[in-house]
Amino acid sequence: MQRRIIKSLVVGLLTLVLLWLAFSMLAAGQPMWAVGVLALGGSALYVYASARTLAGRYLFPGVAGMLLFVAFPLLYTMQIGFTNYSSTHLLTEARSRAYLLEQGRFDEAKTYDYTLHSEGEAFRLLLQQREQRFISQPLTLKVSIDKPVALQPLAADAPSPSAALPLRELLRQRDALMALKLTLPDGTLLHYAGVREFAPFHPQWQAGSDGSLSERAAGNVYRPNRDTGFFEDGAGNRLQPGFQVGVGFSNYTRMLLDADFRGPFVSIFIWTVMLAGLTVLFTTLIGMTLAVLLNWEALRFRTLYRTLLFLPYAIPGFISILVFKGLFNQNFGEINAILDAVFGIRPDWFADPLLARTMILIVNTWLGYPYIMVLCTGLIKSIPADLYEASAIAGAKPLTNFFRITAPLIVRPLTPLLISAFAFNFNNFVLIALLTDGRPDYLNTKLPAGTTDILVSYTYRIAFTDAGANFGLAAAISTLIFFMVALMSLLNLKLTKSKD
Protein backbone atom coordinates (compact mmCIF):
# COMPACT_ATOMS: atom_id res chain seq x y z
CA MET A 1 0.00 0.00 0.00
CA GLN A 2 2.79 2.40 0.91
CA ARG A 3 4.62 1.60 -2.31
CA ARG A 4 1.50 2.37 -4.34
CA ILE A 5 1.09 5.72 -2.60
CA ILE A 6 4.73 6.65 -3.28
CA LYS A 7 4.30 5.65 -6.93
CA SER A 8 1.16 7.78 -7.25
CA LEU A 9 2.94 10.75 -5.69
CA VAL A 10 5.91 10.42 -8.06
CA VAL A 11 3.62 10.11 -11.10
CA GLY A 12 1.61 13.11 -9.94
CA LEU A 13 4.75 15.19 -9.42
CA LEU A 14 6.10 14.26 -12.86
CA THR A 15 2.72 15.11 -14.39
CA LEU A 16 2.82 18.57 -12.82
CA VAL A 17 6.36 19.11 -14.09
CA LEU A 18 5.28 18.02 -17.57
CA LEU A 19 2.29 20.37 -17.54
CA TRP A 20 4.47 23.22 -16.33
CA LEU A 21 6.92 22.64 -19.19
CA ALA A 22 4.12 22.49 -21.75
CA PHE A 23 2.44 25.67 -20.46
CA SER A 24 5.82 27.47 -20.36
CA MET A 25 6.42 26.64 -24.01
CA LEU A 26 2.88 27.65 -24.89
CA ALA A 27 3.33 30.98 -23.09
CA ALA A 28 6.61 31.50 -24.99
CA GLY A 29 4.72 31.24 -28.28
CA GLN A 30 5.79 27.69 -29.16
CA PRO A 31 2.54 25.69 -29.38
CA MET A 32 4.00 22.89 -31.52
CA TRP A 33 6.82 22.29 -29.04
CA ALA A 34 4.31 22.31 -26.21
CA VAL A 35 2.17 19.67 -27.95
CA GLY A 36 5.24 17.56 -28.74
CA VAL A 37 6.56 17.65 -25.17
CA LEU A 38 3.11 16.91 -23.79
CA ALA A 39 2.60 13.97 -26.16
CA LEU A 40 6.04 12.46 -25.60
CA GLY A 41 6.04 13.01 -21.85
CA GLY A 42 2.47 11.78 -21.46
CA SER A 43 3.27 8.63 -23.43
CA ALA A 44 6.32 7.99 -21.23
CA LEU A 45 4.28 8.41 -18.05
CA TYR A 46 1.57 6.06 -19.33
CA VAL A 47 4.03 3.39 -20.47
CA TYR A 48 6.10 3.33 -17.30
CA ALA A 49 3.27 3.91 -14.82
CA SER A 50 0.76 1.39 -16.15
CA ALA A 51 0.99 -2.29 -15.34
CA ARG A 52 -0.56 -3.21 -18.71
CA THR A 53 2.35 -1.87 -20.77
CA LEU A 54 5.21 -4.01 -19.46
CA ALA A 55 6.46 -4.94 -22.95
CA GLY A 56 6.22 -1.33 -24.08
CA ARG A 57 8.77 -0.27 -21.47
CA TYR A 58 11.50 -2.00 -23.48
CA LEU A 59 10.31 -0.66 -26.82
CA PHE A 60 9.57 2.92 -25.78
CA PRO A 61 13.19 4.24 -25.61
CA GLY A 62 13.90 3.02 -29.15
CA VAL A 63 10.62 4.33 -30.54
CA ALA A 64 11.05 7.68 -28.77
CA GLY A 65 14.62 7.98 -30.02
CA MET A 66 13.52 7.24 -33.58
CA LEU A 67 10.78 9.88 -33.36
CA LEU A 68 13.12 12.48 -31.88
CA PHE A 69 16.24 11.93 -33.97
CA VAL A 70 14.83 10.56 -37.25
CA ALA A 71 11.17 11.41 -37.76
CA PHE A 72 11.20 14.90 -36.24
CA PRO A 73 14.27 16.22 -38.16
CA LEU A 74 12.84 14.76 -41.36
CA LEU A 75 9.41 16.33 -40.89
CA TYR A 76 10.96 19.65 -39.83
CA THR A 77 13.20 19.66 -42.92
CA MET A 78 10.22 18.86 -45.14
CA GLN A 79 8.27 21.73 -43.57
CA ILE A 80 11.12 24.18 -44.21
CA GLY A 81 11.14 23.08 -47.86
CA PHE A 82 7.69 24.62 -48.30
CA THR A 83 8.82 28.06 -47.03
CA ASN A 84 11.10 30.89 -48.19
CA TYR A 85 13.34 30.46 -45.11
CA SER A 86 16.71 32.07 -45.95
CA SER A 87 19.19 34.65 -44.70
CA THR A 88 16.77 37.44 -45.70
CA HIS A 89 13.71 35.65 -44.26
CA LEU A 90 14.86 34.42 -40.88
CA LEU A 91 12.13 35.95 -38.72
CA THR A 92 8.41 35.50 -38.41
CA GLU A 93 6.17 38.36 -39.53
CA ALA A 94 5.51 39.42 -35.93
CA ARG A 95 9.21 39.44 -35.03
CA SER A 96 10.11 41.27 -38.23
CA ARG A 97 7.51 43.95 -37.45
CA ALA A 98 8.76 44.20 -33.85
CA TYR A 99 12.34 44.58 -35.06
CA LEU A 100 11.40 47.42 -37.42
CA LEU A 101 9.37 49.16 -34.73
CA GLU A 102 12.46 49.19 -32.53
CA GLN A 103 14.44 51.12 -35.14
CA GLY A 104 14.88 54.84 -34.65
CA ARG A 105 17.34 57.50 -33.57
CA PHE A 106 18.36 59.16 -30.33
CA ASP A 107 18.09 62.91 -29.96
CA GLU A 108 21.74 63.78 -29.44
CA ALA A 109 20.92 67.39 -28.55
CA LYS A 110 19.01 66.24 -25.46
CA THR A 111 21.41 63.57 -24.24
CA TYR A 112 21.85 63.27 -20.47
CA ASP A 113 24.96 61.84 -18.85
CA TYR A 114 24.20 59.63 -15.90
CA THR A 115 25.90 58.08 -12.91
CA LEU A 116 24.75 55.25 -10.70
CA HIS A 117 24.88 55.50 -6.91
CA SER A 118 24.36 52.69 -4.45
CA GLU A 119 22.00 53.07 -1.52
CA GLY A 120 22.00 49.87 0.47
CA GLU A 121 20.79 47.14 -1.87
CA ALA A 122 19.13 49.73 -4.15
CA PHE A 123 20.51 52.26 -6.59
CA ARG A 124 19.79 55.85 -7.58
CA LEU A 125 20.23 57.26 -11.05
CA LEU A 126 21.64 60.79 -11.31
CA LEU A 127 21.24 62.49 -14.71
CA GLN A 128 22.98 65.69 -15.65
CA GLN A 129 22.97 68.04 -18.66
CA ARG A 130 24.85 71.29 -18.15
CA GLU A 131 23.33 72.80 -14.95
CA GLN A 132 20.27 70.54 -15.00
CA ARG A 133 20.33 67.59 -12.63
CA PHE A 134 17.67 64.93 -12.02
CA ILE A 135 17.63 62.04 -9.59
CA SER A 136 15.50 58.93 -9.24
CA GLN A 137 14.04 57.22 -6.23
CA PRO A 138 15.95 54.15 -4.92
CA LEU A 139 15.56 51.37 -7.50
CA THR A 140 15.94 47.63 -7.05
CA LEU A 141 17.53 46.69 -10.37
CA LYS A 142 17.29 42.97 -9.66
CA VAL A 143 13.54 43.24 -10.24
CA SER A 144 12.29 44.20 -13.73
CA ILE A 145 10.59 47.62 -13.77
CA ASP A 146 7.83 47.85 -16.37
CA LYS A 147 6.63 51.42 -15.75
CA PRO A 148 8.68 54.52 -16.56
CA VAL A 149 10.68 55.81 -13.59
CA ALA A 150 9.90 59.42 -12.70
CA LEU A 151 12.89 61.69 -12.06
CA GLN A 152 12.95 64.61 -9.65
CA PRO A 153 14.99 67.83 -10.06
CA LEU A 154 18.15 68.11 -7.99
CA ALA A 155 19.75 71.41 -7.22
CA ALA A 156 23.08 72.09 -8.83
CA ASP A 157 24.79 72.61 -5.48
CA ALA A 158 23.07 69.65 -3.77
CA PRO A 159 25.44 66.82 -2.79
CA SER A 160 25.30 63.48 -4.60
CA PRO A 161 23.71 60.64 -2.62
CA SER A 162 26.96 58.66 -2.58
CA ALA A 163 30.05 58.03 -4.64
CA ALA A 164 29.34 57.10 -8.27
CA LEU A 165 29.88 53.47 -9.13
CA PRO A 166 32.85 52.69 -11.41
CA LEU A 167 32.46 51.51 -15.00
CA ARG A 168 32.86 47.87 -14.03
CA GLU A 169 29.82 48.06 -11.74
CA LEU A 170 27.84 49.90 -14.43
CA LEU A 171 28.49 47.09 -16.89
CA ARG A 172 27.23 44.54 -14.37
CA GLN A 173 23.92 46.40 -14.20
CA ARG A 174 23.76 47.03 -17.94
CA ASP A 175 20.90 44.63 -18.74
CA ALA A 176 18.68 46.18 -16.08
CA LEU A 177 19.60 49.72 -17.14
CA MET A 178 18.81 48.98 -20.79
CA ALA A 179 15.29 47.96 -19.80
CA LEU A 180 14.64 51.22 -17.90
CA LYS A 181 12.60 54.12 -19.22
CA LEU A 182 12.89 57.45 -17.40
CA THR A 183 10.52 60.43 -17.44
CA LEU A 184 11.58 64.01 -16.75
CA PRO A 185 9.25 66.43 -14.93
CA ASP A 186 8.18 67.91 -18.30
CA GLY A 187 7.11 64.45 -19.52
CA THR A 188 10.11 63.74 -21.77
CA LEU A 189 10.71 60.00 -22.02
CA LEU A 190 14.35 58.90 -21.92
CA HIS A 191 15.83 55.58 -23.08
CA TYR A 192 19.16 53.95 -22.46
CA ALA A 193 21.50 55.34 -25.14
CA GLY A 194 24.91 54.05 -24.08
CA VAL A 195 27.09 53.03 -21.18
CA ARG A 196 27.03 56.61 -19.81
CA GLU A 197 23.97 58.20 -21.47
CA PHE A 198 20.16 58.39 -21.55
CA ALA A 199 18.38 60.28 -24.33
CA PRO A 200 14.95 60.72 -25.97
CA PHE A 201 14.29 58.08 -28.61
CA HIS A 202 12.37 58.83 -31.82
CA PRO A 203 11.00 55.68 -33.48
CA GLN A 204 11.33 55.51 -37.25
CA TRP A 205 8.15 53.49 -37.77
CA GLN A 206 4.59 53.53 -36.47
CA ALA A 207 2.40 50.42 -36.46
CA GLY A 208 -0.97 50.55 -38.19
CA SER A 209 -4.11 48.74 -37.08
CA ASP A 210 -4.05 46.63 -40.27
CA GLY A 211 -0.49 45.37 -39.64
CA SER A 212 1.17 48.00 -41.84
CA LEU A 213 4.12 50.20 -40.93
CA SER A 214 4.19 53.95 -41.54
CA GLU A 215 7.41 55.90 -41.85
CA ARG A 216 7.13 58.82 -39.45
CA ALA A 217 9.38 61.18 -41.39
CA ALA A 218 8.23 60.61 -44.99
CA GLY A 219 4.78 59.15 -44.36
CA ASN A 220 5.34 56.10 -46.61
CA VAL A 221 3.19 53.10 -45.76
CA TYR A 222 4.60 49.57 -46.02
CA ARG A 223 2.23 46.62 -45.89
CA PRO A 224 3.14 42.96 -45.41
CA ASN A 225 3.25 41.03 -48.68
CA ARG A 226 2.67 37.42 -47.70
CA ASP A 227 3.64 36.20 -51.16
CA THR A 228 7.17 37.63 -51.12
CA GLY A 229 7.75 37.80 -47.36
CA PHE A 230 8.55 41.53 -47.21
CA PHE A 231 6.97 44.76 -46.02
CA GLU A 232 6.44 46.65 -49.30
CA ASP A 233 5.11 50.06 -50.33
CA GLY A 234 3.04 50.81 -53.41
CA ALA A 235 6.16 51.15 -55.59
CA GLY A 236 7.46 47.73 -54.60
CA ASN A 237 10.22 49.00 -52.29
CA ARG A 238 11.01 46.46 -49.58
CA LEU A 239 12.08 46.66 -45.96
CA GLN A 240 14.70 44.41 -44.47
CA PRO A 241 14.54 41.98 -42.79
CA GLY A 242 11.90 39.91 -44.55
CA PHE A 243 9.77 37.28 -42.88
CA GLN A 244 8.95 33.63 -43.45
CA VAL A 245 5.95 32.70 -45.56
CA GLY A 246 4.73 29.50 -47.15
CA VAL A 247 5.66 29.17 -50.82
CA GLY A 248 4.01 25.84 -51.55
CA PHE A 249 5.89 23.70 -54.06
CA SER A 250 7.87 26.59 -55.59
CA ASN A 251 11.21 25.23 -54.30
CA TYR A 252 10.45 21.85 -55.87
CA THR A 253 9.18 23.30 -59.14
CA ARG A 254 12.31 25.43 -59.29
CA MET A 255 14.42 22.27 -59.26
CA LEU A 256 12.38 20.70 -62.06
CA LEU A 257 11.19 23.60 -64.23
CA ASP A 258 13.87 26.30 -63.99
CA ALA A 259 16.24 25.49 -66.87
CA ASP A 260 19.18 27.40 -65.35
CA PHE A 261 18.80 25.51 -62.10
CA ARG A 262 17.82 22.15 -63.59
CA GLY A 263 20.97 21.90 -65.74
CA PRO A 264 23.59 21.65 -62.97
CA PHE A 265 21.12 19.88 -60.67
CA VAL A 266 20.61 17.01 -63.14
CA SER A 267 24.37 16.79 -63.79
CA ILE A 268 25.09 16.70 -60.07
CA PHE A 269 22.42 14.03 -59.54
CA ILE A 270 23.87 11.82 -62.30
CA TRP A 271 27.40 12.26 -60.90
CA THR A 272 26.15 11.42 -57.40
CA VAL A 273 24.62 8.14 -58.61
CA MET A 274 27.76 7.37 -60.62
CA LEU A 275 30.04 8.07 -57.66
CA ALA A 276 28.04 5.86 -55.33
CA GLY A 277 27.58 3.08 -57.88
CA LEU A 278 31.14 3.02 -59.22
CA THR A 279 32.59 3.20 -55.71
CA VAL A 280 30.57 0.16 -54.68
CA LEU A 281 31.56 -1.65 -57.88
CA PHE A 282 35.30 -0.93 -57.62
CA THR A 283 35.55 -1.56 -53.87
CA THR A 284 33.64 -4.83 -54.28
CA LEU A 285 35.86 -6.04 -57.12
CA ILE A 286 39.09 -5.15 -55.33
CA GLY A 287 37.93 -6.20 -51.86
CA MET A 288 36.52 -9.53 -53.04
CA THR A 289 39.62 -10.29 -55.15
CA LEU A 290 41.95 -9.59 -52.23
CA ALA A 291 39.79 -11.65 -49.89
CA VAL A 292 39.94 -14.65 -52.23
CA LEU A 293 43.71 -14.32 -52.72
CA LEU A 294 44.36 -13.96 -48.99
CA ASN A 295 42.24 -17.06 -48.37
CA TRP A 296 44.74 -19.12 -50.38
CA GLU A 297 46.37 -21.36 -47.76
CA ALA A 298 49.60 -21.75 -49.72
CA LEU A 299 50.23 -18.01 -49.57
CA ARG A 300 52.94 -17.14 -47.05
CA PHE A 301 52.62 -14.15 -44.66
CA ARG A 302 48.85 -13.95 -45.20
CA THR A 303 48.31 -12.31 -41.81
CA LEU A 304 50.87 -9.62 -42.58
CA TYR A 305 49.23 -8.89 -45.93
CA ARG A 306 45.79 -8.68 -44.34
CA THR A 307 47.09 -6.23 -41.74
CA LEU A 308 48.76 -3.99 -44.33
CA LEU A 309 45.75 -4.02 -46.64
CA PHE A 310 43.42 -3.20 -43.75
CA LEU A 311 45.40 -0.10 -42.72
CA PRO A 312 43.50 2.33 -45.01
CA TYR A 313 40.33 1.49 -43.06
CA ALA A 314 42.03 1.79 -39.68
CA ILE A 315 43.32 5.32 -40.36
CA PRO A 316 40.66 8.05 -39.88
CA GLY A 317 39.13 8.90 -43.24
CA PHE A 318 39.64 12.66 -43.04
CA ILE A 319 43.39 12.16 -42.51
CA SER A 320 43.65 9.91 -45.57
CA ILE A 321 41.66 12.40 -47.67
CA LEU A 322 43.93 15.29 -46.69
CA VAL A 323 47.02 13.17 -47.41
CA PHE A 324 45.68 12.33 -50.87
CA LYS A 325 44.89 16.01 -51.43
CA GLY A 326 48.59 16.71 -50.99
CA LEU A 327 49.66 13.71 -53.10
CA PHE A 328 47.51 14.88 -56.03
CA ASN A 329 48.80 18.46 -55.88
CA GLN A 330 49.74 19.50 -59.41
CA ASN A 331 53.01 21.23 -58.53
CA PHE A 332 54.28 19.50 -55.39
CA GLY A 333 52.38 16.20 -55.19
CA GLU A 334 54.23 12.87 -55.32
CA ILE A 335 51.78 11.41 -57.86
CA ASN A 336 52.52 14.11 -60.42
CA ALA A 337 56.24 13.86 -59.66
CA ILE A 338 56.14 10.15 -60.57
CA LEU A 339 54.01 10.74 -63.67
CA ASP A 340 56.33 13.51 -64.79
CA ALA A 341 59.40 11.33 -64.33
CA VAL A 342 57.90 8.33 -66.15
CA PHE A 343 55.60 9.85 -68.79
CA GLY A 344 56.50 13.54 -68.78
CA ILE A 345 52.98 14.70 -67.80
CA ARG A 346 51.66 16.67 -64.84
CA PRO A 347 47.83 16.38 -64.82
CA ASP A 348 45.89 19.20 -63.19
CA TRP A 349 43.73 17.01 -61.00
CA PHE A 350 41.80 19.83 -59.35
CA ALA A 351 41.07 22.02 -62.39
CA ASP A 352 39.87 19.48 -64.97
CA PRO A 353 36.37 18.12 -64.17
CA LEU A 354 37.07 14.61 -65.54
CA LEU A 355 40.39 14.31 -63.71
CA ALA A 356 38.84 15.66 -60.50
CA ARG A 357 36.09 13.03 -60.64
CA THR A 358 38.63 10.33 -61.40
CA MET A 359 40.69 11.43 -58.42
CA ILE A 360 37.62 11.26 -56.16
CA LEU A 361 36.86 7.72 -57.34
CA ILE A 362 40.46 6.64 -56.72
CA VAL A 363 40.49 8.06 -53.19
CA ASN A 364 37.05 6.70 -52.33
CA THR A 365 37.96 3.24 -53.62
CA TRP A 366 41.11 3.30 -51.52
CA LEU A 367 39.08 4.20 -48.43
CA GLY A 368 36.34 1.62 -49.06
CA TYR A 369 37.94 -1.59 -50.29
CA PRO A 370 39.23 -2.78 -46.84
CA TYR A 371 35.65 -2.85 -45.54
CA ILE A 372 34.52 -5.11 -48.40
CA MET A 373 37.67 -7.21 -48.06
CA VAL A 374 36.99 -7.92 -44.38
CA LEU A 375 33.33 -8.74 -45.08
CA CYS A 376 34.20 -11.12 -47.91
CA THR A 377 36.93 -12.77 -45.82
CA GLY A 378 34.43 -13.58 -43.11
CA LEU A 379 31.84 -14.83 -45.61
CA ILE A 380 34.37 -17.03 -47.38
CA LYS A 381 35.35 -18.57 -44.06
CA SER A 382 31.73 -19.61 -43.56
CA ILE A 383 31.62 -21.61 -46.82
CA PRO A 384 31.95 -25.36 -46.09
CA ALA A 385 35.35 -26.72 -47.14
CA ASP A 386 33.66 -29.87 -48.48
CA LEU A 387 32.46 -27.92 -51.51
CA TYR A 388 36.01 -26.98 -52.51
CA GLU A 389 37.25 -30.53 -51.88
CA ALA A 390 34.55 -31.94 -54.12
CA SER A 391 35.39 -29.34 -56.76
CA ALA A 392 39.09 -30.28 -56.59
CA ILE A 393 38.24 -33.95 -57.08
CA ALA A 394 36.21 -32.97 -60.16
CA GLY A 395 39.27 -31.13 -61.51
CA ALA A 396 37.77 -27.62 -61.36
CA LYS A 397 40.02 -24.60 -61.83
CA PRO A 398 40.25 -21.67 -59.31
CA LEU A 399 38.09 -19.43 -61.52
CA THR A 400 35.44 -22.15 -61.68
CA ASN A 401 35.49 -22.39 -57.89
CA PHE A 402 35.05 -18.63 -57.61
CA PHE A 403 32.15 -18.28 -60.07
CA ARG A 404 30.37 -21.51 -59.13
CA ILE A 405 30.94 -21.68 -55.35
CA THR A 406 32.42 -18.57 -53.76
CA ALA A 407 30.57 -15.77 -55.54
CA PRO A 408 27.05 -17.27 -55.39
CA LEU A 409 27.36 -18.07 -51.68
CA ILE A 410 28.64 -14.64 -50.58
CA VAL A 411 26.57 -12.41 -52.88
CA ARG A 412 23.28 -12.85 -50.99
CA PRO A 413 24.55 -11.94 -47.50
CA LEU A 414 26.76 -9.23 -49.02
CA THR A 415 23.95 -7.48 -50.94
CA PRO A 416 22.34 -5.61 -47.98
CA LEU A 417 25.79 -4.33 -46.97
CA LEU A 418 26.46 -3.15 -50.51
CA ILE A 419 23.13 -1.30 -50.46
CA SER A 420 24.13 0.45 -47.23
CA ALA A 421 27.53 1.28 -48.77
CA PHE A 422 25.73 2.79 -51.79
CA ALA A 423 23.55 4.92 -49.50
CA PHE A 424 26.61 6.03 -47.52
CA ASN A 425 28.54 7.09 -50.62
CA PHE A 426 25.44 8.79 -52.02
CA ASN A 427 25.76 11.20 -49.07
CA ASN A 428 29.55 11.15 -48.62
CA PHE A 429 29.87 14.84 -47.76
CA VAL A 430 33.25 14.62 -46.01
CA LEU A 431 35.04 13.25 -49.09
CA ILE A 432 33.88 16.09 -51.35
CA ALA A 433 34.26 18.84 -48.76
CA LEU A 434 37.85 17.94 -47.84
CA LEU A 435 39.16 16.84 -51.23
CA THR A 436 37.73 19.28 -53.83
CA ASP A 437 35.03 21.31 -52.05
CA GLY A 438 32.92 20.69 -55.17
CA ARG A 439 35.34 22.51 -57.49
CA PRO A 440 35.82 23.21 -60.36
CA ASP A 441 32.57 25.15 -60.57
CA TYR A 442 30.05 25.26 -63.38
CA LEU A 443 29.98 28.60 -65.18
CA ASN A 444 26.97 30.91 -65.60
CA THR A 445 24.69 29.27 -63.05
CA LYS A 446 22.16 31.04 -60.82
CA LEU A 447 23.40 29.14 -57.78
CA PRO A 448 27.03 28.10 -57.23
CA ALA A 449 27.47 24.48 -58.29
CA GLY A 450 30.60 22.40 -58.75
CA THR A 451 31.33 19.63 -61.22
CA THR A 452 32.46 17.38 -58.37
CA ASP A 453 29.62 18.35 -56.05
CA ILE A 454 27.25 15.60 -55.02
CA LEU A 455 23.73 16.39 -53.92
CA VAL A 456 24.54 16.68 -50.23
CA SER A 457 27.53 19.01 -50.75
CA TYR A 458 25.51 21.03 -53.26
CA THR A 459 22.77 21.36 -50.66
CA TYR A 460 25.30 22.47 -48.06
CA ARG A 461 26.63 25.20 -50.37
CA ILE A 462 23.10 26.45 -51.01
CA ALA A 463 22.23 26.44 -47.32
CA PHE A 464 25.37 27.77 -45.67
CA THR A 465 28.02 29.16 -47.99
CA ASP A 466 27.71 30.64 -51.47
CA ALA A 467 24.03 31.16 -52.20
CA GLY A 468 22.78 33.49 -49.48
CA ALA A 469 21.76 30.79 -46.99
CA ASN A 470 18.70 29.60 -48.91
CA PHE A 471 17.50 27.15 -46.26
CA GLY A 472 14.12 26.55 -47.89
CA LEU A 473 15.60 25.40 -51.19
CA ALA A 474 18.26 23.35 -49.39
CA ALA A 475 15.55 21.66 -47.30
CA ALA A 476 13.63 20.80 -50.48
CA ILE A 477 16.75 19.23 -52.01
CA SER A 478 17.43 17.34 -48.76
CA THR A 479 13.90 15.96 -48.80
CA LEU A 480 14.38 14.89 -52.40
CA ILE A 481 17.66 13.19 -51.49
CA PHE A 482 15.95 11.27 -48.70
CA PHE A 483 13.24 9.93 -50.96
CA MET A 484 15.76 9.07 -53.69
CA VAL A 485 17.92 7.05 -51.32
CA ALA A 486 14.86 5.39 -49.78
CA LEU A 487 13.46 4.52 -53.21
CA MET A 488 16.75 3.09 -54.46
CA SER A 489 17.22 1.09 -51.26
CA LEU A 490 13.70 -0.35 -51.51
CA LEU A 491 14.27 -1.17 -55.18
CA ASN A 492 17.53 -2.95 -54.39
CA LEU A 493 15.92 -4.89 -51.56
CA LYS A 494 13.05 -5.89 -53.81
CA LEU A 495 15.44 -7.07 -56.50
CA THR A 496 17.36 -8.99 -53.85
CA LYS A 497 14.21 -10.76 -52.67
CA SER A 498 13.22 -11.63 -56.24
CA LYS A 499 16.53 -13.52 -56.62
CA ASP A 500 15.98 -15.62 -53.49
Side-chain angles (χ1 to χ4, degrees):
M1 184 66 180
Q2 184 179 4
R3 184 177 179 181
R4 185 177 299 176
I5 294 174
I6 294 175
K7 179 180 177 181
S8 299
L9 290 174
V10 171
V11 172
L13 180 61
L14 292 175
T15 303
L16 291 176
V17 172
L18 179 63
L19 291 174
W20 175 78
L21 284 174
F23 279 115
S24 299
M25 292 180 179
L26 188 63
Q30 300 292 338
M32 297 303 296
W33 284 99
V35 171
V37 168
L38 197 60
L40 188 63
S43 301
L45 286 175
Y46 173 74
V47 168
Y48 288 101
S50 175
R52 294 177 295 179
T53 56
L54 183 61
R57 299 176 185 179
Y58 301 96
L59 298 175
F60 183 81
V63 174
M66 184 186 69
L67 292 175
L68 282 174
F69 302 112
V70 179
F72 173 72
L74 175 61
L75 293 175
Y76 185 68
T77 301
M78 291 176 63
Q79 181 265 330
I80 292 176
F82 292 99
T83 69
N84 64 343
Y85 189 30
S86 65
S87 58
T88 55
H89 299 86
L90 289 173
L91 307 177
T92 62
E93 181 181 339
R95 291 184 61 189
S96 178
R97 181 184 290 105
Y99 172 82
L100 291 170
L101 289 174
E102 291 175 357
Q103 304 306 303
R105 63 178 181 84
F106 289 98
D107 190 345
E108 297 181 359
K110 298 181 179 180
T111 298
Y112 289 83
D113 297 327
Y114 80 92
T115 53
L116 193 63
H117 304 262
S118 62
E119 188 170 308
E121 294 184 356
F123 300 90
R124 284 179 180 264
L125 274 167
L126 179 61
L127 273 67
Q128 182 171 355
Q129 185 189 60
R130 299 182 183 90
E131 286 79 19
Q132 291 183 322
R133 301 174 75 197
F134 301 93
I135 193 167
S136 70
Q137 297 296 321
L139 304 173
T140 304
L141 296 181
K142 294 181 179 179
V143 180
S144 60
I145 302 174
D146 299 327
K147 297 181 180 180
V149 176
L151 301 179
Q152 302 298 326
L154 185 66
D157 56 351
S160 300
S162 63
L165 295 181
L167 179 60
R168 180 181 297 179
E169 296 297 328
L170 281 182
L171 293 177
R172 289 181 181 177
Q173 305 296 332
R174 183 181 179 185
D175 292 338
L177 293 171
M178 290 177 67
L180 284 180
K181 293 181 177 58
L182 310 177
T183 56
L184 298 177
D186 62 359
T188 302
L189 186 65
L190 303 178
H191 294 251
Y192 183 85
V195 179
R196 295 287 192 181
E197 297 174 336
F198 274 83
F201 179 76
H202 301 292
Q204 183 180 357
W205 303 96
Q206 181 177 0
S209 58
D210 58 349
S212 63
L213 296 174
S214 301
E215 194 172 8
R216 291 177 179 269
N220 297 328
V221 179
Y222 291 78
R223 290 182 171 81
N225 186 333
R226 295 180 178 87
D227 293 326
T228 61
F230 287 101
F231 285 93
E232 299 179 354
D233 63 6
N237 297 315
R238 296 174 174 179
L239 298 180
Q240 296 283 356
F243 52 88
Q244 298 176 41
V245 294
V247 294
F249 289 91
S250 64
N251 287 322
Y252 295 93
T253 56
R254 183 179 181 185
M255 288 187 287
L256 301 175
L257 302 180
D258 188 339
D260 294 331
F261 182 85
R262 186 175 64 243
F265 178 80
V266 172
S267 299
I268 289 171
F269 170 71
I270 294 173
W271 160 239
T272 303
V273 176
M274 288 178 58
L275 173 63
L278 290 175
T279 298
V280 172
L281 176 63
F282 294 154
T283 54
T284 302
L285 290 177
I286 296 174
M288 189 179 296
T289 301
L290 291 175
V292 172
L293 291 176
L294 294 175
N295 196 55
W296 183 28
E297 295 183 358
L299 182 66
R300 298 180 62 188
F301 308 114
R302 288 188 302 163
T303 304
L304 176 62
Y305 295 149
R306 283 199 185 101
T307 303
L308 293 176
L309 291 171
F310 184 73
L311 284 178
Y313 196 70
I315 299 173
F318 75 93
I319 294 178
S320 298
I321 294 170
L322 294 176
V323 169
F324 270 104
K325 188 173 183 178
L327 292 175
F328 278 102
N329 185 278
Q330 182 186 9
N331 299 315
F332 310 106
E334 293 297 327
I335 292 177
N336 271 11
I338 295 173
L339 292 176
D340 187 29
V342 177
F343 302 105
I345 58 174
R346 303 182 71 88
D348 195 350
W349 296 97
F350 293 92
D352 184 87
L354 180 60
L355 290 177
R357 291 178 174 181
T358 303
M359 174 184 63
I360 289 173
L361 280 171
I362 293 172
V363 175
N364 210 24
T365 302
W366 169 266
L367 295 173
Y369 84 82
Y371 173 68
I372 303 297
M373 182 187 72
V374 171
L375 291 177
C376 291
T377 301
L379 293 173
I380 291 173
K381 291 291 185 181
S382 66
I383 299 175
D386 298 346
L387 297 176
Y388 293 105
E389 292 175 359
S391 176
I393 294 173
K397 302 293 183 179
L399 286 177
T400 304
N401 289 340
F402 176 77
F403 288 108
R404 294 297 181 89
I405 299 175
T406 306
L409 291 179
I410 68 175
V411 162
R412 288 182 180 178
L414 189 62
T415 300
L417 299 172
L418 295 181
I419 294 172
S420 66
F422 179 90
F424 171 79
N425 286 291
F426 197 90
N427 294 313
N428 197 347
F429 172 78
V430 174
L431 174 68
I432 305 300
L434 293 181
L435 192 58
T436 65
D437 198 23
R439 272 67 178 182
D441 284 341
Y442 287 103
L443 301 178
N444 301 322
T445 57
K446 287 186 176 180
L447 294 175
T451 54
T452 59
D453 264 323
I454 58 177
L455 286 175
V456 64
S457 64
Y458 180 49
T459 304
Y460 178 83
R461 291 178 71 174
I462 292 174
F464 298 109
T465 56
D466 303 322
N470 196 334
F471 305 123
L473 181 59
I477 299 176
S478 299
T479 304
L480 187 63
I481 293 173
F482 169 79
F483 284 110
M484 285 178 177
V485 175
L487 183 62
M488 287 185 286
S489 300
L490 290 175
L491 181 61
N492 287 332
L493 290 173
K494 188 174 181 179
L495 292 175
T496 304
K497 290 182 180 179
S498 65
K499 295 178 181 179
D500 293 341

